[in-house]
Amino acid sequence: ATYRLVGDEEAVLPFPDGTFDLVMSSVALHWVNDLPKLLLEAKRVLKPDGCLLFAMVGGSTLPELRSSLVLAEMERDGGVSSHV
């Protein structure tokens, strides 16, 4: 079976224990307020040899992101506006 959950990622996951071979998340875990709880839920719904695969924004990637956004704004608007 194929499942896809879109909604309250901080609630108890609505799946039985050991349901999935793979749980994945792409650049979404940084929005979660209780990350340990979510990771325990992911562990609960994974099969014993299951895999949790996720991507997060790292600390050293933020300056690169800012630089990219500044360059894009300069190309598009001819300058950079202040962002508060």
Side-chain angles (χ1 to χ4, degrees), residues 10-12 34-42:
E10 296 190 22
V12 173
D34 191 350
L35 188 57
K37 177 183 172 189
L38 180 68
L39 293 175
L40 286 171
E41 276 298 290

Side-chain angles (χ1 to χ4, degrees), residues 2 15 22 27 35 45 52 82:
T2 299
F15 308 109
L22 173 67
V27 194
L35 188 57
V45 299
L52 171 61
S82 61

